[in-house]
Amino acid sequence: MSNLDFFFNPKSVAIIGASDTIRFGFNTTKYLLNSKFKTYPVHLNKKEILGHRAYKNVKDIPDDIELAILIIGSEYVPQAIRDCIEKGVKGIIIESAGFAETGIKKYIELQENVKDIIKDSKIRIIGPNCVGVTDFHNKFSTADIEFKREKAGDISIIAQSGVLGNVFIDWGSAQSIGFSKSITLGNKIDVDEVDILDYLNKDDLTKVITLYLEGTNRGREFIDVLSRMTKPVLILKNGRTETGSRAVISHTSTIAGNDKIYDAVFKQNPMIFRVYDFYEMFNIAHIFASQPLIKGKKIAIITASGSLGILACDELVDKGLSLAKLKEETIQTIKEIIPDYVSIGGTIDLGPSMFLTLSDSLKALFKDENVDALLFIFAVPRWPLEKFNFTFSAHFRLMKKLSEKYNKPVVCVCFGSRWVFEYINNNALKFGIPVVDRIEHAVNAFKMMFEYYVNINSKK
Amino acid sequence: MSNLDFFFNPKSVAIIGASDTIRFGFNTTKYLLNSKFKTYPVHLNKKEILGHRAYKNVKDIPDDIELAILIIGSEYVPQAIRDCIEKGVKGIIIESAGFAETGIKKYIELQENVKDIIKDSKIRIIGPNCVGVTDFHNKFSTADIEFKREKAGDISIIAQSGVLGNVFIDWGSAQSIGFSKSITLGNKIDVDEVDILDYLNKDDLTKVITLYLEGTNRGREFIDVLSRMTKPVLILKNGRTETGSRAVISHTSTIAGNDKIYDAVFKQNPMIFRVYDFYEMFNIAHIFASQPLIKGKKIAIITASGSLGILACDELVDKGLSLAKLKEETIQTIKEIIPDYVSIGGTIDLGPSMFLTLSDSLKALFKDENVDALLFIFAVPRWPLEKFNFTFSAHFRLMKKLSEKYNKPVVCVCFGSRWVFEYINNNALKFGIPVVDRIEHAVNAFKMMFEYYVNINSKK
């Protein structure tokens, strides 16, 4: 397995097809030319690109080149690759589309041609038909990311193609989910999920891996690498149905394969968790990355909405977890501070008294040995929050403190409008408490974390 | 069945326990005293409430009273009800908590006591342990709604208790979902889901009904009323599991009952659709209320994200629908306008060319007889939208026009950050195109609409 560092932290970069007009590739050109990364534009006709001297050919650059980014028409790709090999470039990212994904014979042949060219060289290629990579820590990106809102963190993303990765980075960043590295693989003529899983498994800056997968072309190696993983990998496998599989072929010319086989492979691997929705994937990754592991199945639910508390009970049971049976001492402590009509039989439903009684209830619940994790369900409409300017900072600070003291995870599920969500999220993220918008995601995260906990401990 | 209009459009209102200090009931008091609804405050000690003369007892009010709202300690409720009966009040909303939901003997007895008091009278009661009703058209509300952002529309809500209804009204309003009436039923000592379903079934301003249900105390009548419904009813039934059922009892003292029986009852009724998530419930209701019915199972998917197109294919198949097989003519029309590497084998994946090719593609797809509905999946990150100030108004206007011309529904699923969602939603809502944030909700809506379409036509 080769070290792929040069894709994420190249000593020098050539952009072949560098663009100074607004089209695909312009942002990446502009970003890299103005970045700390030593970047050389290559252009057939232009002598200068955005104030930087441009070279006619990568071979003309008076410097060693580690990484080349190709943003040229697909028909020009083979020659550019030959030039790069001659130059001694280590890695190439082919962003250009117009290969096997079109289903058109001449473009399928073009892709085969590229494969032949690199067969006997040591050069590594990501793509074609992708947007390459982003490193959120050192801020290297070939993917039209500008690092305005993006937050560096522990979650890495392997995506297949296109802008989708960027859409979820945008979404995740807006709720302060921190990312480590993202890689879009495209048609995978060389580097694929197997290589990247291996690479990220050894990457100290990655704690959780998310993989969007349409199919693998290296079944045996894929199974092997999954069994080698030492950190949680969340996989969203697309093309489950026949209709979906056909759509996969025309997307990236990948064979989606038999879903039952994939499912069986995922299930037999202790670090692999299958998800079915992008939001779920990133929410669960966020919880995995930010919270201590759960060490049992008993969840306490604390809320001001009885109805949502009940929904969460159903969800817990569906997922094989259980509602914590509180110790008598805990019940008495909570009863002392709440009005006697407040219900704590099942979930802790504080009702409107929540604003006054949440802190003491949290203390009692975290302390209870019958509680393995806390689910805090927030459901208050906008107007009282706006009117009375309630702040929940103190509560989230307390959650963080208690979570660390007792080494138990806590997740907040926030219901309501975007305004309310952002209000709560802005308070919670200061203390690293994950806020998600679906009970299901929080409960699934607890379930997966518990499986993970059992698995890593049975290995010891 | 009595007419319950006086709950939603009362000629006169008494607020018993009217409040001029900031506590539960204050907002309702303030709102109604300043509204067009003739409102009289009742208070034991105060002569004036917020500038309005207050009466010691409802019987002292020199006017007929149609509706009384009770916001007093539960121990004072029995006497207040006796006074209201004597006064000839038609309806009472008991907002006070502190009854059977506490599980405490004296409060359970109090609730029984109230039932005895009204047994021989014609008075109708909503509650206790609720926030009453809201009418979004005439702007009558006992539920702490201020009509700042709320939009009047066709969807009515029956909820059980508390602020949860308000949370979703807040959420729905923020995405311009329009509501007609909302009713929280609380402990249901008199008026319950059976009465309200009957009432809303005849209500001209309600097109779709959403019902949050913890359980019914009138099984036979509930089954009957469901079979009488002539408009779609989406039901979220809580307390599916044993743990959930126990939580239901301590929430509103309702018996959740055997979920299998509820499920069977829902399934045998052609107007009833079961959902499992609040967001799903309101998103589907929104699609039902705003779109023409779907008349077949064939869905065309148009997107700039191949990956999400594939996810949607899988979802369609899971739900028993199918991906539309386009006519050769349609494929040729689209091929003429898009680059030849764009994929239209399965879903119509326009890729980055979407901005230029969407309009013509829409025209061809709506016209195709093999297409029964359109699913438009939007996934573009924030930065290009912000930078180039793309507007999608023209596209949504066209969707509206084509949807009306061909009488086919269209739904937009928007992925990404809240900023992107609001950007798209603000464009789409001008033309009544529903935007939802989950593929699953759109596909489920198509599925339910098709079942509904088949059901209403088989009846004819």
Side-chain angles (χ1 to χ4, degrees), chain B residues 77-107:
Chain B
V77 166
Q79 185 55 45
I81 293 178
R82 282 188 206 101
D83 294 339
C84 286
I85 293 174
E86 224 175 286
K87 174 76 180 170
V89 169
K90 289 186 181 168
I92 300 179
I93 294 171
I94 310 177
E95 304 211 356
S96 326
F99 291 89
E101 82 282 0
T102 57
I104 296 169
K105 192 160 168 274
K106 70 170 176 179
Y107 295 117

Side-chain angles (χ1 to χ4, degrees), chain B residues 161-191:
Chain B
S161 78
V163 294
L164 191 66
N166 288 7
V167 169
F168 284 96
I169 288 163
D170 187 23
W171 170 80
S173 305
Q175 31 203 318
S176 263
I177 296 181
F179 295 104
S180 180
K181 293 182 174 65
S182 82
I183 305 96
T184 61
L185 293 170
N187 295 6
K188 304 189 291 193
I189 59 167
D190 174 27
V191 171

Side-chain angles (χ1 to χ4, degrees), chain A residues 106-173:
Chain A
K106 69 169 176 178
Y107 295 118
I108 297 174
E109 286 169 1
L110 189 63
Q111 182 162 321
E112 288 307 310
N113 188 9
V114 171
K115 276 193 201 170
D116 284 343
I117 294 170
I118 60 166
K119 210 166 46 190
D120 299 319
S121 87
K122 278 186 184 164
I123 207 159
R124 300 304 309 264
I125 292 190
I126 292 180
N129 186 24
C130 72
V131 295
V133 307
T134 300
D135 184 317
F136 294 82
H137 291 279
N138 72 6
K139 300 198 170 162
F140 178 74
S141 178
T142 71
D144 202 359
I145 299 257
E146 293 175 339
F147 302 102
K148 277 186 182 158
R149 282 171 286 267
E150 290 72 14
K151 207 185 133 195
D154 306 316
I155 302 169
S156 284
I157 306 174
I158 311 174
Q160 203 101 3
S161 79
V163 295
L164 190 66
N166 288 6
V167 168
F168 283 97
I169 288 164
D170 187 25
W171 170 79
S173 305

Side-chain angles (χ1 to χ4, degrees), chain B residues 76 160 268 290 325:
Chain B
Y76 304 108
Q160 203 99 2
Q268 76 187 22
S290 65
K325 283 200 181 71

Side-chain angles (χ1 to χ4, degrees), chain A residues 144 146 240 314 383 387, chain B residues 144 146 240 314 383 387:
Chain A
D144 202 359
E146 293 175 339
R240 289 180 286 114
D314 285 342
W383 46 97
K387 187 173 278 169
Chain B
D144 200 0
E146 292 176 339
R240 290 179 286 113
D314 285 343
W383 45 98
K387 188 173 279 171

